Amino acid sequence: MDTMRCAADTPAPLGAAKDGASESAMLKDKIKVLKKLYPHARSVLLPALYAAQQLYGWLSEDALEEVSRLTGVSPAEVKGVVTFYSLFKTRPLGRNVIYLCTNVACLIMGADTLEDFLHNTYSLSNGETTADGRFSLVIMECIGACDKAPAMLVNDDCHFNISMDNIREILDNYK
Amino acid sequence: MVKLTINEQEVEAGRDSTILEAAKSVGIIIPTLCHTKGLEAYGGCRMCLVQIERVPRLQTACTTKVNEGMVVFTETEEINKARRAVLEFLLINHPLDCPVCDKAGECLLQDHVARYGASEGRFAEGKRVHPENVNDPFIVRNMQRCILCARCTRMCGEAQGAYAISVTGRGAHSFVEPFSGDRYNCEYCGNCLTVCPVGAIMSRLHRHSYRPWYVEKEVETVCGFCGVGCTTFLQMRAATIIRTLPKLGTGVNKGLLCVRGRFGYDYVESEGRLKTPMIRVNGVLEPVSWEKALAYITTRLKDIAKRHSPKAIAAIASGMCSNEDNYMLQKLMRFVIGSNNIDSTARLSYAPAKTYIEKIFGTAATANNISDIEKSDGIFTAGGDPTAINPVLGIQIRSAWRRGAKVVVSGQPGGLGNFIDYDLNSVPLHEETVLNTIVIGLAEMKGYTGKNPYIEKKIKALRVPCEPELRATGVLLENMEEAIDDLSRLKNPVVVVGPALLQSGIPSKNLFLVAAIAYLIDARVYLLSKKPNYRGLIDMGCVPDSIPGGLPVRPGQIKLKKGVTLTVPSDKGMNLFEMIEGALDGSLKALYVMGENPVFNLPDREKTEKALKALELLVVQDIFMTETTRHAHVVIPASAWSEKDGTMTNLGGRIQFLRKGAAVSTGRSEWRVIADIAKALGMNETYSDSKEVWEEITQISVLHSASEYEEIKGVGLMWPYGSVQFQGGAEDFEVEGLEILPEVPGRKTSEGCVVPGNKLYLLPERSLFHSGSTTRKSKAILSVSPEPYLAINTVEAGRLGLCNDDTVWVKTARGAAVVTVKIVMDCPEGVVMLSNTFEKVNFNALVGYAVDPVLKCMVLTDNEAHIEKL
Ligand code: SF4
Ligand code: SF4
Ligand code: SF4
Ligand code: FES
Ligand code: FES
């Protein structure tokens, strides 16, 4: 079993935000900083969306409109981008999100049994969340780790060479 | 130039052209799906694959540039196989519901499949399902049919600049959606449905009501909603307009339209259209025959001229009517009745602005090609949002910005919001200080050329604003300075002037300052015109002080061919405002109103109504009953824009044909009716069609004397219409308050403390969706913009404790109205806005006006507003 934290996804320390107003203010500041790092408003969009998702937990229509206002990219285009990438959450998901790859390499290496496992153990199907809010499952196309198939992401952590022997142990770490 | 061979034919093509263009130039058509005129090559559908010798794989003709010696084949077995495969992939998901698709018959997918085969896919899986959306008032979206060519999203973004739709989702589950996922809530230009090659984005207006082959007649005409004069095609069946259809690449608009031109045409078929003439008997308008109505008008006009004098008769011309209509009205007044009392609502701002600018720069100054705006490297606008007043002109500014032009906006940016480098949005009454600062800054950077001593002398007389005066504008000095810097560097600049510049503060000062900017950076000037033919009516002599062609009124004789002599009356004609005063003081007795609604379109409604009531004779020629016909003694049904032939002159001076499509009403062309009246009053000339009217115009107007009727065909005829004597030179002009600047808020004045920060001014909102009395009769337009609202900015709304959709009283010294609130981001502080569109609540009923002593334009008064929550 290999585990790796995706460097690019390491959340920037944003502090704890409770009420919506201070989250908005933080997002505004964050995007202001981001804007200085990129040449065009458009190139700020992905990191800006990611920042919004970290602050709010998921990307509501309001959040998309806010990102649109702050980046200058139109709301429709923001939505187009958000719905293209499966790592953006367009609805509230569980505390931990399992992104399980079932594309060719992973499938050959037994991803379907892992999917069955999740279904039997947690009654989880694609797109669903467990009743206690602990896990959500998102089935992915190739996540670029075919050489270590089957692979999955849990939140920001990558897990490789998963099997029926270690999946329970991995997931036990996520409460 | 490059030489290549396509299908064994030698072709010469420009170095930059693509194989697709080169092939087209010799009549070889390569099938395409994602490629379309006016948009950049995309290379997304692979329908246009061609074979190039010595290139291993098939290439897309729409993106591949030509090369010297290239050998290309466009129809081979291999290519056709590839095309068949492309189509087969598309048919995996395409529902093939052609029998119930409005696009069938003009669908590119259908045509290509018919030609290249793959009548159905070999895939056994079910097709994706995505229900048709019919919740939008204008656009029906059937994304099962979408082939993801991205023409629509590119059109909406690249061309229109609205970015309102986008491909959402991924893979086979990609659909083009607006943000809401439901209604579009966009600018509703309809340009996306112009380009959709299949039946995925369709107009709801004529849904399931026709098949393309039902179209019996198509006429090319110009849109009748604003001064841009977009070319559009009316498609008809049995005298009914089925749809308007722009053609990409055609006209000043190059095939783009705005919401009014695209969807607003249904007003012509509205039930409220007048059908028969009416005469008021015992206070009630009663239907009468045409003969009776015309006889009544002539008898009354004769009588009034005899009892009083011809000077007691006046006419109001129409920016909605053709040149021929306006010319004939002018002829009736000036040459038949013998009165120079003729004017129009162009007097409110367009006409005075045009006169003033032409006085400073000569007559060529305001005649400019609208489609050249996008080629300029910098645009300065003041006095209103071009994307609302003249939408397709506004789109040109957006596309210039996208190509790197600097855009500087004084005032509310509106639809230019995302296309601006400098947003100089000042608080009410302080725009002058901003303009003043820019002029002084530019003069310092650019220096004086001595070309126009009059304007330079006045620029030198300007006073540099002091610190508090600058601060009072609400615009940062550094913003102004950077803008000045960029403006001073422009090579091919444009200045756009809207009506609001003349309507508050000191009009002559504001206009002079903008003219000075244009002078210093050597810019072309465009005057926005909400009505389609303001420029034309001025050229037709529908102003008190000049005859057709623009020469000043000089009493005497004009000789036409066939021995006709016309006599120019000697009186000083009344302008629009003087007509109102004249009616009130009894010097005006009769008024002939053609296609205009002065009660509605002039501020101080009470005064206008009182004036009209005092008249002995009010004749109104219109297509609907209006606020003005309520006071009329005679009402004549007119023909609508789509029902007559003639010419129109757009705001840049291009004459174009207005062509008759359908005739729904029993109305008659305005000029014909007026010619009948003129004949009864002694005119000898007869005309069989509008062309003969035009020919007479060319005999009397020096401006049009060299023009050929036939030349108007196609792209129209551009000013100066072949004549050379119209370049004109600069003259001295008058400016009021050259050295003074607006009071600094908080400073003591004779009337006490002026603190604009706590005052609210009511200003007119010029909406994209409406253009006065016609659009409010369009069911289609009303479905997206059904009622009035009060626009207010976030800060003011917060101060007053208002939220969206709150109901409030707006009170001014002139009246009060109840209206709902809409919080608008770019509405400046100190301003609330209301449109003048709807019957019950409208701007003009709540404010007064004064006449500017220099420009003789209208200045708003009594527009300080109090807002109370209901
Ligand atoms: S109607 Fe115009 S603004 Fe609306 S989506 Fe289509 S192209 Fe965009
Ligand atoms: S809706 Fe029409 S224009 Fe837009 S991507 Fe689909 S097929 Fe192309
Ligand atoms: S811009 Fe003006 S002329 Fe063009 S379609 Fe719109 S209203 Fe008509
Ligand atoms: S197929 Fe699963 S990571 Fe590539
Ligand atoms: S037309 Fe060339 S790729 Fe679509």
Side-chain angles (χ1 to χ4, degrees), chain A residues 4-166:
Chain A
M4 198 177 95
R5 237 193 137 89
C6 309
D9 289 350
T10 309
L14 285 161
K18 287 282 168 289
D19 60 287
S22 68
E23 282 160 3
S24 278
M26 273 189 236
L27 185 61
K28 198 170 166 186
D29 290 344
K30 176 81 188 161
I31 292 179
K32 217 182 195 171
V33 174
L34 289 169
K35 273 186 165 170
K36 298 210 176 83
L37 305 176
Y38 295 88
H40 306 292
R42 291 177 169 260
S43 24
V44 180
L45 184 57
L46 282 178
L49 282 168
Y50 192 68
Q53 175 159 301
Q54 279 186 306
L55 271 167
Y56 296 114
W58 65 289
L59 295 169
S60 63
E61 296 232 319
D62 286 344
L64 300 188
E65 283 189 307
E66 208 178 325
V67 170
S68 154
R69 259 198 312 279
L70 293 169
T71 55
V73 179
S74 86
E77 290 187 294
V78 172
K79 190 172 183 182
V81 167
V82 165
T83 53
F84 181 81
Y85 293 105
S86 37
L87 288 178
F88 286 129
K89 304 172 197 164
T90 51
R91 60 208 161 86
L93 293 180
R95 289 194 298 284
N96 304 295
V97 185
I98 304 168
Y99 299 96
L100 179 71
C101 172
T102 59
N103 211 315
V104 183
C106 293
L107 197 65
I108 292 171
M109 298 303 286
D112 53 338
T113 57
L114 300 176
E115 199 179 345
D116 289 345
F117 168 83
L118 292 176
H119 188 72
N120 299 334
T121 322
Y122 305 102
S123 314
L124 257 185
S125 308
N126 187 17
E128 288 178 358
T129 303
T130 54
D132 59 0
R134 185 173 163 206
F135 288 119
S136 295
L137 175 64
V138 177
I139 298 292
M140 303 286 282
E141 300 310 324
C142 181
I143 59 173
C146 312
D147 57 331
K148 302 183 188 94
M152 72 175 175
L153 287 160
V154 182
N155 304 336
D156 294 331
D157 308 327
C158 307
H159 299 279
F160 308 125
N161 303 323
I162 321 159
S163 66
M164 290 299 285
D165 302 335
N166 61 18

Side-chain angles (χ1 to χ4, degrees), chain B residues 143 145-153 176 195-198 200-201:
Chain B
M143 282 302 139
R145 297 183 188 140
C146 173
I147 55 162
L148 289 169
C149 64
R151 280 187 183 192
C152 56
T153 53
V176 177
V195 289
C196 182
V198 298
I201 301 185

Side-chain angles (χ1 to χ4, degrees), chain B residues 124 130 173 234 296 389 415 534 542 578 684 698 828:
Chain B
H130 197 75
H173 298 283
L234 299 182
Y296 180 84
I389 300 172
Y534 271 161
C542 293
E578 289 160 349
N684 294 321
T698 59

Side-chain angles (χ1 to χ4, degrees), chain B residues 49 51 61 75 129 136 274 316 404 450 457 568 614 672 700 731:
Chain B
L49 291 172
Q51 211 166 350
E75 301 270 338
V129 178
D136 192 84
L274 293 177
I316 296 180
K457 189 168 156 228
V568 183
R672 277 187 199 276
I700 164 166
E731 286 173 49

Side-chain angles (χ1 to χ4, degrees), chain A residues 61 65 75-76 79, chain B residues 132-141 164-166 176-188 204 769 779-787:
Chain A
E61 296 232 319
E65 283 189 307
K79 190 172 183 182
Chain B
E132 187 165 68
N133 182 307
V134 288
N135 297 337
D136 192 84
F138 288 147
I139 303 172
V140 181
R141 176 162 88 242
I165 45 175
S166 169
V176 177
E177 304 259 296
F179 181 71
S180 76
D182 191 39
R183 279 174 71 134
Y184 280 77
N185 303 328
C186 61
E187 296 179 351
Y188 288 114
R204 172 145 175 209
F769 294 108
K779 279 193 195 135
I781 299 284
L782 286 176
S783 64
V784 285
S785 176
E787 45 192 36

Side-chain angles (χ1 to χ4, degrees), chain B residues 436-754:
Chain B
N436 194 102
T437 311
I438 298 177
V439 172
I440 292 179
L442 284 174
E444 273 170 20
M445 310 220 24
K446 305 279 292 187
Y448 297 98
T449 56
K451 213 163 93 190
N452 184 331
Y454 306 115
I455 198 167
E456 291 194 353
K457 189 168 156 228
K458 291 187 174 63
I459 295 173
K460 285 174 191 154
L462 289 174
R463 179 166 75 70
V464 181
C466 63
E467 189 54 45
E469 281 169 336
L470 282 170
R471 239 181 295 120
T473 60
V475 180
L476 293 178
L477 180 62
E478 63 194 58
N479 241 353
M480 292 187 229
E481 279 170 350
E482 282 173 31
I484 293 168
D485 212 46
D486 270 338
L487 284 172
S488 73
R489 269 195 279 271
L490 301 180
K491 302 240 148 31
N492 182 15
V494 160
V495 165
V496 178
V497 182
L501 191 69
L502 278 66
Q503 288 172 8
S504 50
I506 310 174
S508 59
K509 175 87 180 279
N510 287 344
L511 193 54
F512 152 70
L513 289 170
V514 171
I517 294 175
Y519 174 74
L520 290 165
I521 61 176
D522 198 11
R524 281 168 287 144
V525 179
Y526 293 81
L527 299 177
L528 300 183
S529 160
K530 191 132 195 175
K531 297 239 168 133
N533 205 26
Y534 271 161
R535 192 182 176 105
L537 74 87
I538 296 171
D539 288 347
M540 291 304 121
C542 293
V543 283
D545 50 4
S546 63
I547 59 166
L551 292 185
V553 166
R554 268 191 216 102
Q557 313 250 294
I558 299 175
K559 287 204 177 5
L560 305 184
K561 280 181 208 153
K562 296 189 214 144
V564 179
T565 312
L566 304 174
T567 309
V568 183
S570 57
D571 64 300
K572 187 190 154 294
M574 291 176 177
N575 68 25
L576 183 63
F577 310 120
E578 289 160 349
M579 288 177 199
I580 308 273
E581 300 299 336
L584 287 171
D585 70 21
S587 54
L588 188 72
K589 298 291 182 195
L591 183 64
Y592 192 111
V593 179
M594 172 181 83
E596 185 52 83
N597 185 357
V599 173
F600 190 72
N601 288 332
L602 277 172
D604 203 348
R605 192 158 167 177
E606 226 181 282
K607 185 177 181 180
T608 316
E609 291 198 296
K610 212 166 138 211
L612 298 188
K613 274 189 205 139
L615 291 168
E616 281 181 26
L617 177 67
L618 174 63
V619 182
V620 180
Q621 199 170 15
D622 208 318
I623 60 174
F624 293 116
M625 289 300 271
T626 65
E627 287 79 356
T628 304
T629 57
R630 235 173 263 161
H631 305 284
H633 301 100
V634 191
V635 175
I636 314 257
S639 56
W641 140 88
S642 59
E643 298 159 2
K644 57 184 169 195
D645 285 316
T647 60
M648 303 275 250
T649 309
N650 81 358
L651 66 88
R654 183 178 295 280
I655 300 173
Q656 306 186 96
F657 276 131
L658 179 70
R659 288 192 185 86
K660 180 173 168 147
V664 178
S665 74
T666 49
R668 294 189 191 167
S669 287
E670 283 83 334
W671 71 261
R672 277 187 199 276
V673 174
I674 296 167
D676 284 345
I677 296 171
K679 242 175 279 162
L681 291 173
M683 178 180 82
N684 294 321
E685 296 78 57
T686 51
Y687 313 86
S688 58
D689 56 19
S690 63
K691 186 178 172 199
E692 290 188 14
V693 182
W694 179 262
E695 271 155 10
E696 185 172 305
I697 294 169
T698 59
Q699 290 175 41
I700 164 166
S701 159
V702 279
L703 175 59
H704 301 94
S705 59
S707 69
E708 288 290 333
Y709 198 67
E710 289 307 312
E711 281 171 17
I712 302 174
K713 267 201 197 121
V715 292
L717 193 55
M718 190 57 197
W719 191 96
Y721 321 124
S723 94
V724 280
Q725 44 197 313
F726 255 83
Q727 307 308 326
E731 286 173 49
D732 200 3
F733 57 96
E734 207 182 319
V735 185
E736 213 188 337
L738 200 55
E739 283 122 62
I740 58 167
L741 284 169
E743 297 274 5
V744 174
R747 211 173 68 191
K748 286 269 181 210
T749 67
S750 52
E751 297 120 33
C753 215
V754 193

